[in-house]
């Protein structure tokens, strides 16, 4: 299956960095940690759209116990692949987080500026506790020291797509995570 996937790579994907099996192992590991840490408690997964939607769908099934989900959508001002840290909420939560244990579910922690904003915003709503689960963590890129308790995979400093992550809304449907050829940036 993996061989087939890699042979059928879109030409703009120069390499696969995490295949389906590696991703699923990371998701299962985080699911077990959360199951253990929140045993006997209710937890709300706050999923940041759109990038984290596939991660959340797999993660929620890897958590045994009482778990609820809700969604937020945010947009960073600024162009293309760079986060500016100025964040606008496009879609807010439908439920209140006051007095609840929440986990923010993110696709990737790059500069950390989006997450810093989200943490500040959600903390002001009075949750009982707040943690972060990110599938990918780009090493050495963080401009803030936000604490992320659950980290799936350490990612090289390259622009990656697949498993929910996009470039201009493309490639979210890949079941692996690959590096987008920088030349492809001009294609769109
Ligand atoms: P940050 O604010 O720099 O941490 O970036 C936050 C958001 O930018 C992530 O949640 C992603 O949606 C997007 N992003 C950052 N790096 C990548 C990447 O390599 N591929 C796709 N999206 C990315
Ligand atoms: Mg995101």
């Amino acid at each position: 299956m993996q061989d087939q996937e890699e042979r059928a790579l879109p030409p703009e994907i120069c390499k696969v960095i995490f295949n389906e099996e590696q991703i699923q192992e990371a998701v299962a590991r985080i699911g077990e940690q959360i199951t253990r840490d929140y045993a006997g408690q209710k937890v709300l997964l706050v999923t940041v759209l759109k990038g984290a939607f596939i991660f959340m769908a797999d993660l929620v099934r890897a958590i045994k116990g009482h778990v609820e989900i809700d969604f937020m959508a945010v947009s960073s001002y600024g162009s293309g692949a760079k986060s500016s840290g100025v964040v606008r909420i496009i879609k807010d939560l439908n439920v209140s987080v006051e007095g609840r244990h929440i986990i923010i579910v993110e696709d990737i922690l790059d500069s950390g500026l989006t997450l810093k904003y989200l943490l500040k915003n959600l903390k002001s709503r009075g949750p009982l506790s707040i943690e972060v689960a990110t599938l990918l963590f780009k090493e050495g890129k963080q401009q803030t020291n936000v604490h992320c308790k659950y980290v799936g995979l350490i990612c090289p400093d390259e622009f990656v797509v697949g498993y929910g992550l996009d470039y201009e809304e493309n490639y979210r449907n890949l079941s692996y995570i690959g590096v987008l050829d920088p030349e492809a940036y001009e294609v769109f």
Side-chain angles (χ1 to χ4, degrees), residues 48-52 74 105-108 114 165-166 172:
V48 186
L49 294 172
K50 299 177 193 170
V74 296
V105 179
E106 260 285 23
D107 51 359
I108 185 166
T114 306
L165 291 137
D166 74 310
R172 294 193 196 276

Side-chain angles (χ1 to χ4, degrees), residues 38-165:
Y38 294 85
Q41 289 171 317
K42 293 181 180 183
V43 63
L44 173 72
L45 301 186
V46 172
T47 307
V48 186
L49 294 172
K50 299 177 193 170
F53 83 110
I54 295 182
F55 174 41
M56 189 284 296
D58 284 342
L59 180 62
V60 77
R61 285 175 286 180
I63 298 171
K64 311 292 170 226
H66 188 108
V67 59
E68 293 181 25
I69 59 163
D70 203 357
F71 299 95
M72 270 183 99
V74 296
S75 145
S76 284
Y77 284 121
S79 61
K82 288 265 181 293
S83 173
S84 63
V86 183
V87 178
R88 188 165 53 103
I89 295 179
I90 296 171
K91 185 222 166 294
D92 207 341
L93 296 172
N94 288 339
V95 298
S96 165
V97 300
E98 197 179 343
R100 306 189 63 176
H101 294 294
I102 66 173
I103 301 176
I104 301 177
V105 179
E106 260 285 23
D107 51 359
I108 185 166
L109 198 62
D110 187 4
S111 70
L113 295 172
T114 306
L115 189 58
K116 186 182 173 193
Y117 170 86
L118 275 175
L119 275 167
K120 189 170 170 229
N121 182 292
L122 290 171
K123 271 181 188 160
S124 73
R125 306 183 193 189
L128 204 54
S129 70
I130 182 163
E131 297 292 352
V132 179
T134 187
L135 178 66
L136 301 177
F137 183 90
K138 266 193 197 169
E139 205 157 34
K141 287 292 296 294
Q142 285 69 51
Q143 295 174 28
T144 69
N145 56 352
V146 289
H147 174 66
C148 189
K149 187 167 185 184
Y150 307 103
V151 175
L153 298 157
I154 306 292
C155 180
D157 182 16
E158 291 183 278
F159 194 78
V160 294
V161 294
Y163 195 74
L165 291 137

